[in-house]
């Protein structure tokens, strides 16, 4: 029976690089942001490539959830689901999430917002996923470990080994490096967001990031900082 590992991240994190690590395993299928088309169709938000994302994706959340949770006796050993936590808008039921092996991947909101505003003109607290991640942590409790991206980048092999144990699959060194270039599994939004990952061949070593915030960005960081600090306090430390 296929194990379903769902990673709930916010934007401008290492979620796509982490997806590369899992995709480089011979026994794993990856799914890239399966709720994105529904999210854009429901919210009406104007993201890069919006019409193509909607046209090529599934806009019925029930079908998406069924594809992510149904039994798959002939499937691969593991399915890695890369999710954006901000796609969990209030009207979307969340009971199904407990059927998955869930991980919350967090990042300091100041770094997230600073990076986000280099690609987008505006940002709101709901755009960066931290509030939704805290809601998931409250819903799922200790069954959903929290991993901070800065910790992960300081010791990627240690965290990948832990995640493999959590998912019940053996670790392989293939997760630590991968060939550069796009993947057929990348979402159609990849040309707008994945430039750095497409050039990558592994996880970059951790380094402090330059943070530049507009007044609007400062307000978003202030609104999300308490949620991030609660998640950070609950994070997995190896």
């Amino acid at each position: 029976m296929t194990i379903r590992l769902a990673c709930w991240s916010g934007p401008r994190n290492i979620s796509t690089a982490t997806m590369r690590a899992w995709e480089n395993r011979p026994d794993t299928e990856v799914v890239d942001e399966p709720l994105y088309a529904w999210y854009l169709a429901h919210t009406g938000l104007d993201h890069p490539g919006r019409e193509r994302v909607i046209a090529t994706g599934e806009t019925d959340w029930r079908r998406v959830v069924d594809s992510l949770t149904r039994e798959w006796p002939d499937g691969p050993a593991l399915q890695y689901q890369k999710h954006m936590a901000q796609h969990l808008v209030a009207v979307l039921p969340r009971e199904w999430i407990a059927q998955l092996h869930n991980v919350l991947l967090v990042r300091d909101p100041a770094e997230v917002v600073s990076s986000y505003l280099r690609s987008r003109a505006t940002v709101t607290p709901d755009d960066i996923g931290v509030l939704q991640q805290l809601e998931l942590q409250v819903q799922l409790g200790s069954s959903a470990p929290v991993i901070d991206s800065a910790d992960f980048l300081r010791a990627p092999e240690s965290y990948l080994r832990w995640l493999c144990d959590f998912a019940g699959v053996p670790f392989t060194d293939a997760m630590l490096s991968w060939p550069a270039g796009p993947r057929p599994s990348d979402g159609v939004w990849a040309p707008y967001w994945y430039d750095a990952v497409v050039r990558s061949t592994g996880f970059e070593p951790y380094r402090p990031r330059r943070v530049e915030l507009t007044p609007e960005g400062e307000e978003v960081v202030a609104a999300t900082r308490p949620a991030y600090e609660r998640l950070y306090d609950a994070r997995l430390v190896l």
Side-chain angles (χ1 to χ4, degrees):
M1 189 65 65
T2 299
I3 298 161
R4 312 258 191 170
L5 179 62
C7 180
W8 298 92
S9 177
R12 320 313 293 166
N13 207 335
I14 56 170
S15 59
T16 310
T18 307
M19 182 175 72
R20 287 284 190 270
W22 288 96
E23 188 173 29
N24 215 39
R25 297 176 58 98
D27 60 353
T28 299
E29 176 195 77
V30 302
V31 181
D32 193 7
E33 300 185 31
L35 288 164
Y36 196 14
W38 173 83
Y39 170 75
L40 290 181
H42 174 77
T43 62
L45 291 171
D46 185 19
H47 281 203
R50 166 189 161 82
E51 297 307 322
R52 190 176 176 208
V53 174
I54 292 173
T56 59
E58 177 56 69
T59 57
D60 184 337
W61 68 264
R62 296 168 186 82
R63 292 182 178 178
V64 176
V65 168
D66 179 68
S67 72
L68 299 175
T69 58
R70 64 172 175 249
E71 292 188 2
W72 196 5
D74 300 322
L78 187 140
Q79 181 188 65
Y80 182 81
Q81 302 174 7
K82 174 199 162 193
H83 289 284
M84 293 290 101
Q86 65 269 25
H87 295 170
L88 296 175
V89 298
V91 300
L92 181 68
R94 302 184 187 182
E95 294 82 1
W96 58 275
I97 296 172
Q99 300 177 49
L100 310 171
H101 288 66
N102 295 285
V103 176
L104 307 178
L105 180 63
V106 302
R107 186 185 181 192
D108 188 301
E111 294 185 357
V112 173
V113 171
S114 177
S115 178
Y116 189 90
L117 287 174
R118 295 186 192 113
S119 301
R120 302 281 291 153
T122 62
V123 64
T124 72
D126 284 339
D127 289 335
I128 67 168
V130 179
L131 303 179
Q132 297 90 336
Q133 286 176 317
L134 180 59
E135 291 169 358
L136 280 179
Q137 202 264 343
V138 171
Q139 173 191 346
L140 300 169
S142 61
S143 69
V146 179
I147 296 177
D148 189 84
S149 63
D151 292 337
F152 183 100
L153 289 176
R154 291 185 179 100
E157 181 173 344
S158 296
Y159 280 91
L160 287 172
R161 285 183 178 276
W162 190 95
L163 285 168
C164 287
D165 287 342
F166 176 69
V169 296
F171 171 77
T172 169
D173 288 337
M175 301 180 74
L176 296 173
S177 61
W178 50 83
R183 301 286 186 277
S185 55
D186 290 348
V188 297
W189 49 90
Y192 306 103
W193 300 102
Y194 290 3
D195 285 353
V197 173
V198 166
R199 294 192 302 269
S200 74
T201 57
F203 292 102
E204 293 185 0
Y206 171 77
R207 67 181 189 277
R209 298 291 180 170
R210 177 172 54 89
V211 172
E212 295 178 350
L213 295 171
T214 62
E216 175 193 34
E218 294 275 10
E219 291 179 1
V220 171
V221 172
T224 56
R225 173 69 64 189
Y228 170 73
E229 290 180 351
R230 285 181 61 182
L231 291 162
Y232 187 82
D233 288 343
R235 79 195 192 282
L236 172 70
V237 179
L238 299 180

